[in-house]
Amino acid sequence: MPFTIAIDGPAASGKGTIARALAAHFGFPHLDTGLLYRAVGAMGGDPVAAAQALTAADLARPGLRSAEAGQAASRVAALPGVRSALVDFQRRFALQEPGAVLDGRDIGTVICPEAAVKLYVVADDATRAGRRAAELGVDPAEMLAQLRERDARDSARAAAPLRPAPDAVVLDTTAMTIDQAVAAAVVEVVQRRAG
Ligand code: DC
């Protein structure tokens, strides 16, 4: 059985950083599933057709990390046809031996409900906005408004809404450094691997 690590949480909570660090620590491949939705949002045209035609080259498009690309991703991610077109790719990635790390919004709830470890990473709104604004060099107040809009849309949609799986461990990174957050996540994974 492959050892899948599912990491979910709202925008800029630190889940991507933690996912990359866990992947490096355990030697597993990592999939940033937000990038799939960002690429679909950036492709224009019919989003469902774009999701069905998505290739690895689309994930390397410039500008996918911008705040605008995040908003476009959140809009197309609410479409059930877009989500279902991306399920198989994500599940195949998750089931690689000896294991894989995926981060997103619905990994523990929909994509990999059988994941060996599920983390739900949160941080308070101002902290998340401050971190992402510093990363992108934009205004923190504007970023705060954008993150709240995105989280509200991602949580309220009918298709695979943002929420913790019942068996997820919640990790609040508000008062943590990156090293502390990664260390806490490693402890969770090591405990599950031992059990
Ligand atoms: O993780 P991110 O900020 O790059 O994600 C961008 C948007 O994509 C996010 O606002 C909602 C959507 N998304 C999703 O619906 N499901 C996922 N598994 C990952 C991202």
Side-chain angles (χ1 to χ4, degrees):
M1 226 356 221
F3 191 91
T4 308
I5 303 175
I7 307 192
D8 293 300
S13 56
K15 63 187 187 307
T17 303
I18 291 172
R20 279 190 300 278
L22 286 179
H25 187 95
F26 293 100
F28 291 168
H30 165 231
L31 180 64
D32 166 5
T33 66
L35 208 51
L36 306 177
Y37 296 92
R38 286 173 181 261
V40 170
M43 282 161 79
D46 172 22
V48 176
Q52 286 164 346
L54 197 69
T55 67
D58 296 314
L59 304 182
R61 291 168 86 95
L64 292 185
R65 301 278 170 201
S66 71
E68 295 71 29
Q71 288 291 353
S74 169
R75 281 192 285 272
V76 298
L79 303 171
V82 167
R83 304 200 71 82
S84 59
L86 300 175
V87 166
D88 283 355
F89 175 78
Q90 294 175 81
R91 287 204 176 130
R92 273 200 305 276
F93 191 96
L95 294 177
Q96 292 177 80
E97 292 286 357
V101 184
L102 291 85
D103 75 89
R105 302 292 186 290
D106 63 339
I107 308 304
T109 51
V110 174
I111 302 297
C112 305
E114 310 296 329
V117 181
K118 297 180 187 179
L119 297 180
Y120 191 80
V121 183
V122 298
D124 73 29
D125 291 4
T127 302
R128 294 188 295 123
R131 287 176 185 162
R132 187 52 59 87
E135 205 177 289
L136 296 176
V138 300
D139 175 49
E142 169 69 12
M143 185 47 67
L144 180 60
Q146 290 216 14
L147 289 185
R148 284 184 170 152
E149 185 188 333
R150 207 139 70 83
D151 292 343
R153 191 188 297 112
D154 296 343
S155 305
R157 69 185 179 216
L162 167 67
R163 67 174 54 123
D167 52 347
V169 173
V170 177
L171 183 61
D172 186 339
T173 67
T174 305
M176 291 181 178
T177 63
I178 291 176
D179 286 352
Q180 288 169 335
V182 169
V186 168
V187 166
E188 288 298 333
V189 175
V190 168
Q191 278 172 358
R192 299 301 159 105
R193 281 193 116 184

